[in-house]
């Protein structure tokens, strides 16, 4: 919980990653390069006085979650998985490991599952049973995160799988909300670090050399698919509109930087589409006016009850983002253009909306009451 001068805010972080990218788990040079890129982005985005060591960043531990997430004003968090088993021997951020970490902190973490594009329809078999057995409240669907592995959102089998998963309890689908920043054409400029910041990060010594041999990196296993790496994301908004209209009880969550802001705002016409603010909250420090303008446009389009707080930990530790969202005011250049965020809106974004979508019980009176039309399963 975060206590400001005027109110106490319950915080539910809708995007936390618990991964193992340590050298012993890297399945070759591509896995090493992937972790190195994430660490470079962490240095650009985190902006806190005490820097995280490269080895500590590569493998999230229970101690790290306790210190940086629970100790960073977060009451509950959703662990988002990403397997990437071509790049990592035991998987990068698998649900099985999340379950073990959640047992260390009873009542703190909610689990999500994954629809892996590399496995296609065959990999989705038995997903509904896994949802029930592990109490998975949502699914992470990256339409593409490696070359040659893409799931068109118009696939009939995908619609059937998501419908069965929703009936089993996974009512939320995060689309492409992974640790990799979008890099395809049209990504909003406010989500891209400034050139000076990139140059400063590049000037620092790299923890991982480019040659990245698996034996030298600590793994005795042979290289698997060394030429493959995480690919670009992105999806067809038309296919998403059709999918969301066909599954009104499934709540779709999109990253704020997944497409141009104007295109994302047009999707607000679908009542079961929500926005995760992870990239935008980090962007408010990188490009103050442009990111604030995008925030104002998304507020007008989606309203405060369809926006979720997320840190993307360990890319960014959540404490600073929580404080900055509570203290957020539109810059002078935009004064009067957008209505200021009030405490009701802050309660909703910081915790109320994610708690509602993921069926997380909160103390009575912790957040303002939500309109009945926004209850889960009602096309909220």
């Amino acid at each position: 919980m975060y206590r400001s001068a005027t109110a106490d805010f319950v915080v539910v972080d809708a995007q936390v990653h618990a991964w193992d990218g340590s050298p012993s788990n890297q399945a070759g040079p591509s896995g090493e390069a992937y972790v190195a890129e994430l660490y470079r982005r962490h240095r650009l985005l985190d902006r806190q006085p005490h820097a995280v060591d490269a080895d500590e960043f590569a493998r999230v531990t229970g101690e790290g979650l306790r210190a940086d997430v629970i100790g960073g004003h977060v009451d509950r968090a959703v662990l988002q998985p990403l397997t990437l088993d071509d790049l990592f021997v035991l998987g990068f951020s698998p649900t099985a490991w999340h379950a073990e970490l959640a047992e260390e902190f009873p009542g703190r973490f909610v689990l999500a599952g994954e629809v892996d594009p590399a496995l296609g329809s065959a990999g989705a078999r038995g997903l509904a049973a896994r949802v029930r057995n592990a109490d998975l409240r949502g699914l992470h669907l990256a339409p593409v995160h490696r070359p040659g592995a893409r799931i068109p959102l118009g696939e009939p089998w995908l619609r059937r799988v998501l419908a069965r998963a929703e009936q089993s309890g996974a009512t939320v689908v995060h689309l492409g909300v992974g640790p990799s920043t979008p890099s395809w054409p049209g990504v909003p400029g406010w989500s891209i670090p400034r050139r000076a910041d990139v140059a400063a990060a590049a000037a620092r010594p790299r923890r991982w050399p480019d040659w990245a041999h698996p034996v030298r990196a600590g793994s005795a296993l042979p290289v698997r698919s060394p030429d493959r790496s995480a690919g670009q994301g992105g999806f067809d908004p038309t296919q998403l509109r059709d999918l969301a209209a066909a599954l009104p009880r499934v709540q779709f969550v999109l990253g704020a930087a997944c497409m141009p802001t104007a295109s994302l705002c047009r999707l607000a016409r679908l009542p079961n589409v929500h926005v995760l603010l992870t990239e935008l909250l980090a962007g408010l420090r990188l490009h103050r006016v442009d990111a604030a303008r995008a925030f104002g446009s998304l507020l007008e389009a989606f309203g405060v009850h369809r926006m979720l707080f997320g840190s993307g930990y360990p890319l960014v530790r959540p404490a600073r983002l929580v404080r900055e969202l509570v203290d957020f005011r539109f810059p002078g250049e935009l004064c009067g253009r957008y209505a200021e965020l009030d405490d009701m809106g802050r309660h909703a974004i910081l915790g109320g909306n994610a708690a509602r979508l993921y069926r997380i019980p909160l103390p009575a009176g912790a957040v303002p009451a939500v309109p009945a039309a926004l209850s889960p399963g009602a096309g909220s």
Side-chain angles (χ1 to χ4, degrees):
M1 180 174 289
Y2 178 71
R3 292 179 168 86
S4 72
T6 58
D8 294 343
F9 296 92
V10 173
V11 179
V12 179
D13 193 330
Q15 186 186 6
V16 168
H17 303 285
W19 61 50
D20 182 2
S22 55
S24 60
N25 193 34
Q26 296 166 4
S30 295
E32 187 172 33
Y34 186 74
V35 176
E37 172 60 18
L38 290 180
Y39 187 56
R40 184 188 72 86
R41 288 186 47 236
H42 164 75
R43 296 201 307 263
L44 291 171
L45 299 176
D46 192 55
R47 305 297 187 89
Q48 297 196 37
H50 171 66
V52 175
D53 180 77
D55 292 323
E56 180 184 347
F57 176 83
R59 188 178 191 276
V60 176
T61 63
E63 292 77 9
L65 290 173
R66 185 191 304 277
D68 297 327
V69 178
I70 298 174
H73 312 305
V74 175
D75 298 275
R76 302 289 294 272
V78 183
L79 294 175
Q80 298 288 349
L82 186 63
T83 302
L84 293 177
D85 54 6
D86 279 1
L87 308 183
F88 300 92
V89 178
L90 301 177
F92 184 55
S93 182
T95 302
W97 189 28
H98 292 176
E100 295 178 5
L101 289 172
E103 289 181 357
E104 293 185 31
F105 306 96
R108 288 287 192 171
F109 294 101
V110 171
L111 303 181
E114 181 184 15
V115 180
D116 192 338
L119 302 178
S121 58
R125 291 172 184 167
L127 181 61
R130 296 197 295 271
V131 167
R132 290 191 297 269
N133 295 337
D135 189 24
L136 305 179
R137 307 290 178 86
L139 297 174
H140 175 223
L141 169 59
V144 55
H145 60 53
R146 69 190 76 173
R150 175 180 292 274
I151 298 180
L153 297 182
E155 288 282 354
W157 68 263
L158 178 62
R159 183 177 302 183
R160 294 192 298 269
V161 165
L162 296 184
R164 288 196 295 266
E166 184 273 327
Q167 294 168 3
S168 299
T171 57
V172 185
V173 174
H174 280 231
L175 274 175
V177 181
S180 297
T181 292
S183 57
W184 51 87
V187 63
W190 49 260
S191 68
I192 302 173
R194 295 170 297 190
R195 291 183 179 179
D197 297 327
V198 173
R204 302 176 189 176
R206 291 187 58 174
R207 169 64 177 78
W208 291 273
D210 291 331
W211 40 264
H213 191 280
V215 175
R216 296 173 187 168
S219 172
L221 297 179
V223 176
R224 296 189 299 167
S225 304
D227 59 331
R228 300 182 73 179
S229 61
Q232 294 182 347
F235 51 86
D236 186 344
T238 301
Q239 293 182 348
L240 172 61
R241 284 194 291 268
D242 294 340
L243 184 64
L247 301 173
R249 295 181 61 85
V250 175
Q251 310 302 311
F252 293 90
V253 178
L254 311 179
C258 70
M259 64 180 69
T261 302
S263 301
L264 185 58
C265 288
R266 285 194 288 271
L267 293 175
R269 301 167 187 170
L270 297 163
N272 55 334
V273 173
H274 309 255
V275 177
L276 183 66
L277 298 177
T278 302
E279 302 99 337
L280 194 145
L281 294 176
L284 285 172
R285 274 204 171 191
L286 302 174
H287 305 278
R288 183 177 61 98
V289 176
D290 290 342
R293 182 179 292 108
F295 189 25
S297 298
L298 292 172
L299 280 171
E300 288 183 341
F302 287 88
V304 295
H305 291 297
R306 285 200 283 157
M307 307 184 84
L308 282 67
F309 171 82
S311 66
Y313 177 84
L315 283 179
V316 181
R317 286 168 283 185
R320 173 179 65 83
L321 299 183
V322 172
R323 294 192 299 267
E324 291 180 355
L325 182 57
V326 170
D327 297 335
F328 174 78
R329 299 292 185 277
F330 284 101
E333 296 89 330
L334 303 177
C335 187
R337 171 64 180 83
Y338 304 103
E340 292 289 351
L341 195 63
D342 58 14
D343 278 352
M344 183 193 75
R346 294 186 179 91
H347 278 294
I349 294 173
L350 280 170
N353 298 337
R356 169 170 50 86
L357 295 186
Y358 284 97
R359 308 187 304 279
I360 298 174
L362 297 179
V367 296
V370 176
L374 296 176
S375 61
S380 61

